[in-house]
Amino acid sequence: MEQVNPTRMELIRKNAQIKMAEQGRDLLRQKMDVLIREFFLVMESFSRSRDELEAVAKDAQRSLLLAEAVEDPITLKSASFATRKSLMLEVRGRNIMGVPVPVIEKKRVSKNVLERGYGIVGTSGRLDEAAEKFEVELDMLIDLAEKETAMRRIGAEIQMNRRRVNALEQLMIPELKSQARFIKISIEEREREDLFRLKKVKKILERKKINSESYD
């Protein structure tokens, strides 16, 4: 146990520390409850989006295979190079109980036929269909990345809060209470000793008084 000064002022200070530590623990528990609820909401949305993405990815792959079957390989390759463009994303944040999570602002990847960059003449509708489905897949990938990052950050905050709660519950609060008990016991023991000494002194004084009166 940490060396403590067994005084009433120290006991008051320890009791105040216990109260503060318990309030901190309760606040952390409340924060953790909110974060856990938010985590499961995001996780459910993430699971749904992932299942949808798998279906869209398979559909897009089938469309690409069909396009490869009907398109001239050179035309297909040229079209793929023509559609290569940078994707501008703007990431801002929102706050969930002190945890910053990303919100990706973007223009939709999906484009119309004229915006894709390859010529309409000489290409079939299969190519347009494949391009459209891969654009939808990319949109969904960006959305999924946002949700996964949020899950990771909220999950990390939950773990950190759980460690803090455990440290308060299992280490700090029991140690403070142990110190407070030690101080209280020490004060009570000292008061009993003082009372015993006072009684002893009182008896001695009374005896002296009796002896003094008998001499008179």
Side-chain angles (χ1 to χ4, degrees), residues 67 70-72 74-80 82-83 113 116-129 131:
V70 299
E71 292 287 351
D72 178 68
I74 296 175
T75 303
L76 194 62
K77 189 173 183 179
S78 298
S80 68
T83 56
V113 176
R116 292 193 181 116
Y118 57 81
I120 301 175
V121 179
T123 59
S124 71
R126 291 292 186 184
L127 179 59
D128 298 332
E129 183 183 341

Side-chain angles (χ1 to χ4, degrees), residues 56 60 83 106 108-113 115-116 118 127-142:
V56 168
T83 56
K106 62 178 175 57
R108 288 187 62 80
V109 177
S110 301
K111 302 177 178 66
N112 59 44
V113 176
E115 291 174 329
R116 292 193 181 116
Y118 57 81
L127 179 59
D128 298 332
E129 183 183 341
E132 181 181 351
K133 289 180 179 178
F134 274 101
E135 287 163 359
V136 172
E137 182 182 353
L138 184 53
D139 272 327
M140 295 181 72
L141 275 169
I142 293 169

Side-chain angles (χ1 to χ4, degrees), residues 73-213:
I74 296 175
T75 303
L76 194 62
K77 189 173 183 179
S78 298
S80 68
F81 279 113
T83 56
R84 285 186 178 180
K85 293 181 180 178
S86 59
L87 179 62
M88 299 300 294
L89 300 175
E90 181 183 342
V91 182
R92 61 180 180 84
R94 69 184 179 100
N95 197 290
I96 302 175
M97 294 296 290
V99 184
V101 296
V103 177
I104 300 176
E105 298 285 348
K106 62 178 175 57
K107 294 180 180 179
R108 288 187 62 80
V109 177
S110 301
K111 302 177 178 66
N112 59 44
V113 176
L114 297 176
E115 291 174 329
R116 292 193 181 116
Y118 57 81
I120 301 175
V121 179
T123 59
S124 71
R126 291 292 186 184
L127 179 59
D128 298 332
E129 183 183 341
E132 181 181 351
K133 289 180 179 178
F134 274 101
E135 287 163 359
V136 172
E137 182 182 353
L138 184 53
D139 272 327
M140 295 181 72
L141 275 169
I142 293 169
D143 180 62
L144 208 62
E146 177 185 308
K147 291 172 182 175
E148 184 175 4
T149 304
M151 281 174 55
R152 289 181 184 276
R153 291 189 179 180
I154 294 170
E157 187 70 15
I158 289 170
Q159 290 297 324
M160 185 169 68
N161 272 268
R162 183 173 286 117
R163 287 195 294 271
R164 288 173 176 170
V165 168
N166 288 341
L168 286 169
E169 281 190 331
Q170 299 173 17
L171 297 174
M172 187 174 182
I173 293 174
E175 176 66 16
L176 287 171
K177 286 183 174 180
S178 176
Q179 291 173 359
R181 280 195 301 271
F182 169 77
I183 294 170
K184 186 178 179 182
I185 291 169
S186 298
I187 291 172
E188 289 173 349
E189 181 66 26
R190 190 165 61 240
E191 287 176 345
R192 282 194 294 270
E193 289 176 356
D194 290 343
L195 182 61
F196 175 77
R197 281 195 293 270
L198 283 172
K199 287 181 178 179
K200 192 172 183 181
V201 169
K202 185 179 179 182
K203 286 181 179 179
I204 292 172
L205 291 174
E206 287 175 349
R207 192 178 299 117
K208 284 184 177 180
K209 184 179 179 182
I210 293 170
N211 290 337
S212 174
E213 288 174 351

